[in-house]
């Protein structure tokens, strides 16, 4: 079983839709949870990160962490064609052995 | 703002050939990383350098070597390329190993035939 599972998609939605992207993980030692966005033929770039459980909002993006369920989500409100990209979740823990693990990514296409 | 610069952007190698992928960052970061990205596998860590003068194996180090030339530069060498090393390679850097944000280069698309 992979430490981090992410549905690869592709996910196609109409412009203006609310998008929900999710990851599950198995290691309860993960402390920080990140979402990266990767445009085609580019490197990933960090969108936002959260520490422990709870919500964090940044403009149209909301990251949610539920440590009890080992489940994280990224919500995109009022999705735009420019949001079309692959979204990768990532997790880190630094206690003892260092680990920074990426999910496989979900490909999102927002249709105009 | 250069950030993380990788060279080359594309490369085709024959099986058994060697090559070095170059990476440089201008953000004065201590930690640097090499990843490979394959369909369905996500980003997998090959090697990392927590600070200048140190290097450590990641998840998939076999067939690769690295050199942390100085604080700015971190190179990845394939001594004898194999078709299984066909991938997109990303270099990344972060202020320190424990930092949540890693900054990525544009990637090198490598094909081994």
């Amino acid at each position: 079983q992979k430490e981090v599972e992410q549905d690869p998609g592709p996910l196609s939605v109409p412009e203006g839709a609310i998008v929900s992207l999710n990851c599950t993980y198995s290691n309860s030692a993960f402390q920080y949870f990140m979402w990266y966005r990767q445009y085609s033929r580019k490197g990933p770039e960090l969108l936002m990160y959260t520490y422990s459980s709870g919500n964090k909002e940044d403009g149209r993006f909301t990251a949610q962490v539920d440590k009890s369920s080992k489940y994280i989500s990224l919500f995109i409100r009022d999705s735009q064609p420019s949001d079309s990209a692959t979204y990768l979740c990532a997790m880190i823990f630094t206690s003892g052995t260092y680990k920074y693990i990426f999910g496989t990514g979900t490909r999102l296409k927002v249709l105009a | 703002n250069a950030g993380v610069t990788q060279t080359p952007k594309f490369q085709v190698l024959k099986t058994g050939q060697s090559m070095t992928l170059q990476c440089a960052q201008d953000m004065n970061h201590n930690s640097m990383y090499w990843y490979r990205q394959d369909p369905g596998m996500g980003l997998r860590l090959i090697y990392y350098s927590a600070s200048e003068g140190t290097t450590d194996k990641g998840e998939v180090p076999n067939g690769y070597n690295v050199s942390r030339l100085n604080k700015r530069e971190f190179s990845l060498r394939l001594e004898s390329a194999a078709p299984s090393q066909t991938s997109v390679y990303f270099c990344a850097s972060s202020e320190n190993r424990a930092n949540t944000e890693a900054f990525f280069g544009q990637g090198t698309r490598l094909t081994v035939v």
Side-chain angles (χ1 to χ4, degrees):
Chain A
Q1 184 193 3
K2 288 182 182 177
E3 283 192 277
V4 178
E5 299 273 5
Q6 186 174 8
D7 189 326
L11 183 62
S12 290
V13 300
E15 183 176 356
I18 296 174
V19 176
S20 172
L21 304 166
N22 311 295
C23 286
T24 58
Y25 62 96
S26 57
N27 192 333
S28 58
F30 285 120
Q31 299 163 302
Y32 294 90
F33 304 90
M34 285 72 68
W35 285 96
Y36 282 80
R37 178 175 60 197
Q38 184 177 20
Y39 290 115
S40 181
R41 297 184 175 264
K42 301 285 186 184
E45 54 181 350
L46 183 71
L47 267 178
M48 54 199 306
Y49 75 91
T50 54
Y51 175 70
S52 196
S53 284
N55 292 1
K56 186 173 184 179
E57 193 173 313
D58 184 0
R60 296 185 295 111
F61 298 87
T62 300
Q64 194 172 76
V65 174
D66 181 349
K67 290 195 81 175
S68 62
S69 302
K70 298 192 182 72
Y71 190 86
I72 70 169
S73 301
L74 178 71
F75 298 97
I76 307 174
R77 290 186 299 281
D78 188 24
S79 56
Q80 303 295 310
S82 58
D83 295 327
S84 297
T86 297
Y87 291 81
L88 301 100
C89 63
M91 307 178 188
I92 184 174
F93 69 80
T94 60
S95 306
T97 305
Y98 164 83
K99 274 196 178 184
Y100 196 133
I101 306 287
F102 284 85
T104 52
T106 299
R107 194 150 49 96
L108 171 68
K109 188 164 186 178
V110 181
L111 306 169
Chain B
N1 292 349
V4 179
T5 303
Q6 290 181 236
T7 54
K9 288 188 169 51
F10 302 93
Q11 184 71 50
V12 178
L13 287 180
K14 292 183 179 177
T15 298
Q17 285 185 317
S18 62
M19 78 162 295
T20 299
L21 280 64
Q22 307 286 355
C23 175
Q25 51 90 9
D26 63 0
M27 295 172 282
N28 201 36
H29 285 168
N30 289 305
S31 302
M32 297 185 73
Y33 314 84
W34 277 105
Y35 288 90
R36 60 178 289 173
Q37 187 174 38
D38 304 288
M41 303 294 288
L43 282 162
R44 291 182 293 168
L45 184 64
I46 304 171
Y47 270 93
Y48 69 97
S49 171
S51 59
E52 187 179 355
T54 69
T55 59
D56 285 285
K57 294 178 181 178
E59 186 184 351
V60 288
N62 291 346
Y64 306 95
N65 285 301
V66 291
S67 294
R68 183 74 183 266
L69 304 168
N70 48 55
K71 192 170 185 180
R72 288 187 66 246
E73 297 171 289
F74 188 39
S75 63
L76 178 72
R77 183 159 177 84
L78 286 70
E79 290 290 352
S80 179
S84 61
Q85 294 178 306
T86 293
S87 187
V88 181
Y89 290 85
F90 287 100
C91 177
S93 71
S94 64
E95 196 170 328
N96 289 296
R97 197 179 73 170
N99 271 69
T100 52
E101 184 168 14
F103 293 81
F104 284 81
Q106 297 269 54
T108 296
R109 292 185 170 270
L110 175 67
T111 302
V112 183
V113 298

